Amino acid sequence: MTREVEGLMGRKVVPSWMRVGLLLAPAGVPQPVLLDGKPDFDNTRTVMEWIVQVGIDSVEHHCKNSVGQEQMDSTATAALIRSLAQDFASLLQLPTNQCSSVPLDLSPSEQYLFGIACGCMVSVSPIIASMPLESASLDETTSIPYPIILFDELFDTEYSGTVDKCNRGILNLIEHGAVVVSATHRPEYFGSMSSRVITLSGGNVLTVERLML
């Protein structure tokens, strides 16, 4: 379910279906997160509890290795993480009742959205870790950049109907400021929400097309 990877300043356990571009991203900057499969969490926690736990683990890692704290503030920061987890799940249109269920109960599209929500938490964890404790809450003055998510052929073997259901939430996330990049052999799966399509062959760029959303 997980693998241990070496960072510049320590080790971090990350899910086997997720990779991070920068284990120790600069403070205040989202780290790119690459997803190449469905999440494989067990049923010991609910879906929302897992999303929150992924956020807590990632923030604690950054607090210890980047910010220099032994651990994050257990009250203010944990509350912020829970609030962000709910926001990402809502933006991705992950049903509320399914967030209270265990991963085994999710449909195929919901499993993907669950994984993307976890990826969002990992991506923004450097920002949360670098926030002053007194500002670790969501209000009109809080500014948290949206995540950077990369798909590595994530949907290439999936049914188009499943992808269509996922795309509604992904597009909503993009419209709120997230950056989503997909490497795929099925560009038609993303045509409705792509702002740019780059076609590659043999490592060479063939075409670059800008699209109007």
Side-chain angles (χ1 to χ4, degrees):
M1 289 177 60
T2 62
R3 68 182 185 279
E4 195 174 61
V5 292
E6 183 74 36
L8 295 177
M9 299 174 63
R11 291 182 175 270
K12 171 65 177 172
V13 175
V14 298
S16 57
W17 44 273
M18 180 188 298
R19 284 175 273 167
V20 292
L22 297 170
L23 277 180
L24 292 171
V29 178
Q31 64 180 350
V33 172
L34 187 148
L35 304 176
D36 59 9
K38 295 178 183 177
D40 56 358
F41 291 121
D42 59 36
N43 296 315
T44 57
R45 290 184 171 95
T46 67
V47 168
M48 181 55 65
E49 287 171 346
W50 272 122
I51 298 172
V52 171
Q53 190 60 50
V54 166
I56 290 173
D57 290 346
S58 299
V59 171
E60 285 186 335
H61 170 71
H62 282 280
C63 284
K64 183 176 181 180
N65 294 302
S66 297
V67 184
Q69 302 173 12
E70 283 301 313
Q71 60 183 16
M72 69 178 198
D73 177 74
S74 60
T75 303
T77 309
L80 173 59
I81 290 171
R82 285 193 295 271
S83 183
L84 280 173
Q86 293 168 356
D87 284 351
F88 286 135
S90 176
L91 286 173
L92 288 164
Q93 300 182 7
L94 195 56
T96 303
N97 63 314
Q98 293 297 72
C99 288
S100 301
S101 64
V102 295
L104 182 64
D105 294 336
L106 298 179
S107 69
S109 61
E110 290 165 351
Q111 290 174 24
Y112 283 114
L113 295 174
F114 172 33
I116 295 169
C118 291
C120 289
M121 297 302 296
V122 174
S123 182
V124 301
S125 60
I127 293 98
I128 301 173
S130 65
M131 292 177 65
L133 294 181
E134 61 272 13
S135 65
S137 61
L138 280 178
D139 56 33
E140 65 276 5
T141 64
T142 303
S143 178
I144 296 180
Y146 268 79
I148 302 172
I149 305 295
L150 314 176
F151 297 156
D152 184 8
E153 302 180 9
L154 182 62
F155 298 112
D156 279 24
T157 60
E158 195 53 77
Y159 293 110
S160 59
T162 297
V163 180
D164 287 342
K165 293 176 181 178
C166 292
N167 282 353
R168 301 167 194 165
I170 296 170
L171 181 57
N172 200 31
L173 189 69
I174 293 171
E175 289 175 342
H176 281 78
V179 175
V180 176
V181 179
S182 178
T184 180
H185 296 283
R186 306 293 297 271
E188 67 274 13
Y189 279 176
F190 301 94
S192 63
M193 60 181 179
S194 299
S195 60
R196 181 181 300 183
V197 177
I198 301 174
T199 303
L200 304 174
S201 179
N204 298 314
V205 176
L206 298 183
T207 62
V208 178
E209 183 180 5
R210 293 179 181 272
L211 306 176
M212 297 295 293
L213 292 179

